[in-house]
Amino acid sequence: MTGLFSTLLPPSPSPVVCRKPYSPTCVRCCDDATAGVNIKPPDYNGFPEKKLKHPATLKPPRPRRIILVRHGESQGNVDESVYTRVADPKVGLTDQGVAEAEECGRRIREMIEKDEAEDWKVYFYVSPYRRGLETLRNLAKAFERSRIAGVREEPRLREQDFGNFQDKEQMKIEKAVRKRYGRFFYRFPNGESAADVYDRITGFRETLRNDIDIGRFQPPGEQSPNMNLIMVSHGLTLRVFLMRWYKWTVEQFEGLHNIGNGNMVVMERGYGGRYSLLMHHTKEELIKFGLTDKMLIDQEWQKIAKPGELNYDCLITGPSYFTHFDDDNEN
């Protein structure tokens, strides 16, 4: 080689052949003075939840509840013109919203304490929007440090994106068009549809299921069936979460009503291990929320079913799609 690079490169060394078999626990350097010295890989202590003390065939206990909380009253709930000058993620709570969050925390604690379990704890998932974080901080005043197992800020729990700085009059037009088009599929300009929210909630649901399966909420050896997961989010996002979890149809989603500010929907572990809304709520409450008779029948099944079981007689995803089965009954 000639030229500039020939003056920078050292002469090529004689080839060295390593005749020792490779060992994953031993690192050898054939042309180094330290050849033959075993170097053990570092002992990483990460992921302690993978070293659970109970048998590998036994999964950690499922949390007792998944509690869905809508943020308290925000400045945008009182005056929609706020969105014309404040970015949606930066809209905070009103004084009334702060009070609603604190009251919601007290109600959650009272509900948990009725279990009369000594080792109960709460773990939070929260939207990164300001009104979500402020709701979390005020709601959590009801719990001592020892009762809070942890918190995770989860961007996928954010509000539906309605676009950037919003024009008040234009938003009225867009919402009127959405009503005609359909609330699930209508996409706001430069924003999202409920269907888009469904896609990101599907990803979050898988994360949540993995967290439940691995027992991420408490240290190894301390898993308790009295853990309560609290998701602090937004009205439409929480409705979409329920839709995805229970496999409700688009038509059934569009019949749901929004959760009130600072209110909650409780998914409680049933007798078989699955989560049912009827373990906490009355049928009257769920009908007011928008559940149909078919959805209530499925919730009754959820109360007694085990994780992994399928409801082959489910009226939501089965016969309701077909119109020719009635003819079979006439023969």
Side-chain angles (χ1 to χ4, degrees):
M1 181 183 296
T2 59
L4 175 63
F5 293 104
S6 64
T7 63
L8 299 179
L9 296 176
S12 300
S14 301
V16 177
V17 179
C18 180
R19 304 184 186 279
K20 297 291 184 180
Y22 169 74
S23 172
T25 60
C26 175
V27 180
R28 293 178 180 274
C29 182
C30 297
D31 56 349
D32 197 305
T34 60
V37 177
N38 289 347
I39 303 175
K40 294 183 179 180
D43 181 18
Y44 295 105
N45 294 318
F47 305 104
E49 61 271 18
K50 294 186 177 181
K51 303 176 182 178
L52 303 179
K53 294 182 180 180
H54 41 63
T57 57
L58 184 63
K59 287 186 176 181
R62 304 186 103 204
R64 187 175 184 88
R65 299 178 183 87
I66 302 175
I67 305 168
L68 314 182
V69 175
R70 185 186 176 196
H71 63 79
E73 180 187 80
S74 73
Q75 297 163 348
N77 294 135
V78 176
D79 179 10
E80 290 189 351
S81 68
V82 168
Y83 297 113
T84 65
R85 57 185 183 273
V86 180
D88 198 356
K90 297 180 180 179
V91 173
L93 296 183
T94 62
D95 291 341
Q96 175 65 25
V98 170
E100 289 171 345
E102 292 177 348
E103 174 61 22
C104 185
R106 289 190 290 268
R107 288 166 52 205
I108 292 175
R109 176 156 193 149
E110 290 173 1
M111 174 179 62
I112 294 174
E113 287 183 335
K114 288 180 180 178
D115 300 335
E116 297 184 349
E118 296 182 357
D119 61 344
W120 65 267
K121 289 189 177 183
V122 293
Y123 186 98
F124 296 99
Y125 292 90
V126 61
S127 162
Y129 278 29
R130 178 179 170 184
R131 54 191 179 275
L133 295 171
E134 290 181 350
T135 298
L136 167 70
R137 294 184 180 114
N138 287 284
L139 180 155
K141 292 177 182 178
F143 306 99
E144 311 87 63
R145 183 186 299 272
S146 61
R147 293 296 187 183
I148 299 177
V151 60
R152 175 182 293 178
E153 183 177 288
E154 177 51 73
R156 288 172 292 185
L157 289 179
R158 69 187 184 274
E159 174 66 288
Q160 178 184 7
D161 189 349
F162 295 102
N164 298 318
F165 292 104
Q166 300 165 21
D167 180 274
K168 185 177 179 180
E169 296 305 316
Q170 185 61 35
M171 284 302 296
K172 289 182 180 180
I173 296 173
E174 297 296 343
K175 289 182 178 180
V177 175
R178 178 181 64 170
K179 188 174 181 179
R180 290 190 290 111
Y181 191 91
R183 288 194 300 161
F184 188 75
F185 292 111
Y186 181 78
R187 179 180 287 116
F188 286 90
N190 300 314
E192 290 181 305
S193 65
D196 296 322
V197 179
Y198 184 97
D199 291 341
R200 57 175 158 90
I201 285 297
T202 295
F204 168 72
R205 177 179 176 272
E206 295 310 307
T207 297
L208 180 63
R209 288 173 64 93
N210 289 336
D211 286 350
I212 291 174
D213 289 342
I214 201 172
R216 190 178 295 279
F217 314 111
Q218 290 175 305
E222 297 180 16
Q223 284 84 8
S224 167
N226 298 307
M227 174 61 67
N228 295 268
L229 306 185
I230 303 176
M231 292 168 43
V232 182
S233 185
H234 308 263
L236 180 135
T237 306
L238 295 176
R239 281 179 282 143
V240 169
F241 176 86
L242 290 168
M243 175 192 182
R244 181 62 184 86
W245 187 279
Y246 291 116
K247 301 178 178 63
W248 293 339
T249 66
V250 171
E251 181 180 0
Q252 288 162 341
F253 166 82
E254 295 195 337
L256 297 176
H257 303 292
N258 217 357
I259 305 169
N261 289 116
N263 284 329
M264 60 182 173
V265 172
V266 180
M267 303 163 58
E268 186 167 328
R269 196 176 64 233
Y271 306 109
R274 296 176 75 103
Y275 293 98
S276 172
L277 300 175
L278 281 172
M279 291 298 296
H280 176 82
H281 299 281
T282 65
K283 288 185 178 181
E284 290 72 22
E285 288 175 328
L286 295 180
I287 290 172
K288 187 176 180 180
F289 180 48
L291 270 68
T292 65
D293 289 342
K294 292 178 180 179
M295 296 161 79
L296 290 172
I297 290 172
D298 181 62
Q299 289 300 315
E300 289 284 2
W301 176 82
Q302 300 282 349
K303 287 173 64 174
I304 59 174
K306 297 178 181 179
E309 286 186 346
L310 298 177
N311 185 1
Y312 292 100
D313 298 320
C314 180
L315 298 173
I316 296 176
T317 58
S320 62
Y321 282 90
F322 308 104
T323 59
H324 63 284
F325 290 146
D326 290 340
D327 298 335
D328 297 341
N329 296 329
E330 299 176 358
N331 297 331

